[in-house]
Amino acid sequence: MRLLLALAVLPLPAFAQQVEIPQGCTAYLTVQAMSCRVSHHFTCEDDPEGWQRRIDMDQSGITYFGAIDSETQWVESFHLLSGTTEYLSEEVDRPASFTSLLEEGVSDYDFTTTNDAGEVTRYVGTDRLTGESVEIDGVTLDRTDYDITAFDSEGEILWSSAGNEYISRDWRMFLSGQSTYVSPEGSFESDDSPVAFIEPGEPGFLSPAPIYGCGQEL
């Protein structure tokens, strides 16, 4: 199902603003990260079973929204900064598998996406459990190592990234960590680790305002 959801911020006073989740969808988690980013996770009743959706926001507003399936494959992604939408190709050489990661400690993948301009990108990489677990804001997460390389349709490298991430077994999702990104234009390091997990009914749930790593923490 190739569905891009309309999202809006309610016109409330700044201290009370919340992200409005589309009708038929249910938000279950807000994550504040180190990198001046806040993410909101939700499910929608019209989606296939096991799908989860996420929107990311920085101080300027929404930067990304997309969906993963039950194996955490990137089934659709919309990047607002570039204005492009990517969809997972129907034929996947080696699909990403959250189940394999949990059961075998490793998941190798090789798949392609096609964007709305018809451009194909191939992603090849590996996720590995390190055997370490951490607790962040009362939530137990497993640490992973990863590497990924993106290629264009001619086989030229577009970018690569490596570092560590986290997974939640309960929420069946990946969460960003520390990484190094390399492209022909240069390289940079980032720390997008989660800091706070906020569930329905807790202060800050569905807040559009990132808190950490924004120059001045709120």
Side-chain angles (χ1 to χ4, degrees):
M1 180 182 297
R2 298 185 172 185
L3 172 66
L4 293 179
L5 296 169
L7 298 164
V9 175
L10 295 174
L12 301 174
F15 67 86
Q17 281 188 338
Q18 284 192 325
V19 173
E20 183 178 5
I21 299 301
Q23 187 175 0
C25 301
T26 303
Y28 64 92
L29 183 68
T30 292
V31 181
Q32 290 279 359
M34 286 283 294
S35 53
C36 195
R37 185 184 70 193
V38 59
S39 301
H40 306 289
H41 300 263
F42 56 101
T43 58
C44 298
E45 59 187 22
D46 290 335
D47 281 339
E49 184 177 357
W51 275 36
Q52 301 180 58
R53 293 185 178 268
R54 185 186 95 230
I55 62 172
D56 293 340
M57 306 182 72
D58 64 13
Q59 290 179 302
S60 300
I62 296 172
T63 60
Y64 167 88
F65 60 93
I68 58 173
D69 66 10
S70 61
E71 292 295 344
T72 68
Q73 295 186 99
W74 306 340
V75 288
E76 58 182 44
S77 303
F78 180 44
H79 306 272
L80 274 78
L81 296 180
S82 63
T84 59
T85 305
E86 290 182 286
Y87 299 105
L88 181 67
S89 300
E90 293 183 0
E91 294 185 5
V92 178
D93 289 339
R94 192 162 64 245
S97 173
F98 198 78
T99 299
S100 293
L101 181 62
L102 295 182
E103 295 180 352
E104 302 172 16
V106 63
S107 172
D108 297 311
Y109 52 83
D110 184 344
F111 63 88
T112 60
T113 63
T114 304
N115 68 17
D116 40 16
E119 298 169 330
V120 176
T121 303
R122 179 187 179 194
Y123 298 93
V124 181
T126 304
D127 295 308
R128 309 173 191 84
L129 291 178
T130 66
E132 302 172 275
S133 63
V134 298
E135 183 174 305
I136 299 175
D137 194 27
V139 175
T140 299
L141 306 170
D142 292 310
R143 191 188 298 272
T144 71
D145 289 331
Y146 81 92
D147 60 79
I148 182 173
T149 303
F151 302 87
D152 66 16
S153 58
E154 302 300 320
E156 297 295 322
I157 294 177
L158 297 171
W159 56 264
S160 64
S161 182
N164 76 274
E165 294 183 311
Y166 305 92
I167 62 165
S168 166
R169 294 173 182 260
D170 293 337
W171 288 314
R172 205 170 175 85
M173 69 170 65
F174 280 86
L175 296 144
S176 297
Q178 297 176 324
S179 63
T180 300
Y181 175 93
V182 180
S183 74
E185 288 74 39
S187 65
F188 66 87
E189 296 183 352
S190 64
D191 187 351
D192 303 314
S193 300
V195 179
F197 296 95
I198 306 164
E199 298 188 64
E202 297 179 340
F205 182 67
L206 290 181
S207 168
I211 296 176
Y212 302 98
C214 302
Q216 181 179 359
E217 294 184 3
L218 302 177

